[in-house]
Amino acid sequence: MSGLILPRRQLLARAGGLVAAAGALPILSGCDAISQAPAVRKILSMGEEMNRASQRALMDRDALAREFTAADLSPIFRSNGTKLPAGDAYAAHVATAFANWRVAVTGLVAQPLSLSMADIRAMPQRTQITRHDCVEGWSAIGGWTGPQLGRILEAAKVKDSARYIVFRCADRIGDALYYESCDMIDALHPQTILAWALNNQLLPIANGAPLRLRIERQLGYKHAKYLTGIEAVASLDGIGAGKGGFWEDRIDYEWYAGI
Ligand SMILES: Nc1nc2c(c(=O)[nH]1)N[C@H]1C(S)=C(S)[C@@H](COP(=O)(O)O)O[C@H]1N2
Ligand SMILES: [Mo]
């Protein structure tokens, strides 16, 4: 696992409870006289309990998904959902080996980006062997390589006001483009990467070529394939039907699919 510690901390601090919890401590220790009163002591200890609980919650969200070894790889990593996006535009990208594919990084960023696959491969890379769990009842272990999403958000200078990251895809199911989203804790998780390789080979079309999300603390449908855009937003209102994902908008799949 490489780098990202400092920016990740700073970004995470904005994302949630850490700042509030840390900010409360100096105030507490500066009021020793008042804190001797039993009622106040009780309230203060309740506060500490709550700080611990929120920190625990944050740490759990932060924990790494299990990583496996090459010996554990599934012989075939099956495909699910779209296996080949329809249309001439995608076919043209296939014909040119995705040389002109671009991933737009937009929304609440100070530095919007348009990344080529060469740009993505030139960044520091992470490889991880993890288990994919689909709600339809199958799992597979695969090895994924690509840059951490956190690095890309850092390069795009994501703003403090960003609370969610939306992932846009090239494929339609019916009339609608597939999309997904996550909060900043998952976006900045060290195992959240944009993968362009599976088992040390270029990502197969069926698995999301040229680029797909791996968001290892979430169920399969969150792992958006055929990525065309990454958008930082303050709210999911007005995106699709507002529930944060293609399936969330249509059936009873939860937006938060943490595992
Ligand atoms: N763009 C896009 N992403 C997608 C899907 C899809 O149909 N389109 N299916 C999802 C589901 S339900 C699963 S289980 C995984 C399947 O990934 P795989 O095809 O590599 O097995 O991709 C997810 N991401
Ligand atoms: Mo799935």
Side-chain angles (χ1 to χ4, degrees):
M1 197 192 323
S2 59
L4 206 67
I5 298 301
L6 239 177
R8 183 173 150 68
R9 282 263 165 78
Q10 288 162 356
L11 291 164
L12 256 188
R14 301 175 193 164
L18 256 185
V19 147
L25 290 175
I27 300 170
L28 293 185
S29 61
C31 300
D32 287 345
I34 300 173
S35 67
Q36 297 310 309
V40 174
R41 254 196 341 255
K42 182 159 183 247
I43 290 167
L44 289 182
S45 72
M46 278 166 60
E48 274 175 45
E49 200 49 55
M50 283 161 65
N51 277 347
R52 268 199 296 275
S54 64
Q55 270 173 4
R56 200 158 47 231
L58 205 64
M59 280 161 60
D60 285 347
R61 292 287 315 276
D62 231 11
L64 296 182
R66 180 170 171 199
E67 293 195 15
F68 297 80
T69 69
D72 304 311
L73 289 172
S74 300
I76 293 168
F77 196 99
R78 61 168 280 186
S79 164
N80 201 32
T82 303
K83 294 178 167 62
L84 171 65
D88 294 344
Y90 188 82
H93 284 298
V94 173
T96 50
F98 302 102
N100 301 314
W101 191 269
R102 287 285 183 288
V103 180
V105 186
T106 60
L108 297 171
V109 295
Q111 178 65 69
L113 302 172
S114 171
L115 301 171
S116 67
M117 291 308 300
D119 294 332
I120 298 231
R121 290 186 194 110
M123 298 182 71
Q125 306 288 306
R126 191 178 203 283
T127 292
Q128 57 203 28
I129 299 178
T130 52
R131 196 186 65 208
H132 179 99
D133 296 305
C134 171
V135 281
E136 290 169 36
W138 59 275
S139 298
I141 294 177
W144 307 96
T145 301
Q148 290 169 313
L149 176 59
R151 295 252 182 198
I152 290 167
L153 295 176
E154 195 189 337
K157 300 189 168 57
V158 66
K159 295 182 182 176
D160 291 357
S161 47
R163 292 191 52 212
Y164 305 98
I165 302 298
V166 178
F167 304 96
R168 309 281 189 183
C169 306
D171 60 313
R172 289 172 198 276
I173 300 182
D175 287 346
L177 289 167
Y178 198 91
Y179 81 99
E180 260 302 338
S181 63
C182 70
D183 66 15
M184 297 307 288
I185 294 176
D186 271 314
L188 302 173
H189 188 283
Q191 289 168 318
T192 297
I193 68 172
L194 303 187
W196 54 269
L198 168 58
N199 300 340
N200 294 320
Q201 309 280 326
L202 284 178
L203 194 59
I205 289 171
N207 302 107
L211 196 66
R212 65 98 51 85
L213 179 66
R214 291 301 309 172
I215 180 163
E216 304 294 356
R217 295 292 310 281
Q218 299 273 330
L219 287 171
Y221 58 89
K222 305 295 288 185
H223 298 234
K225 306 194 286 187
Y226 316 109
L227 276 180
T228 57
I230 293 167
E231 189 181 347
V233 298
S235 158
L236 298 170
D237 294 347
I239 293 165
K243 292 193 177 157
F246 177 89
W247 291 118
E248 291 90 323
D249 284 347
R250 284 164 183 80
I251 54 174
D252 61 347
Y253 285 15
E254 297 283 344
W255 173 76
Y256 184 74
I259 48 178

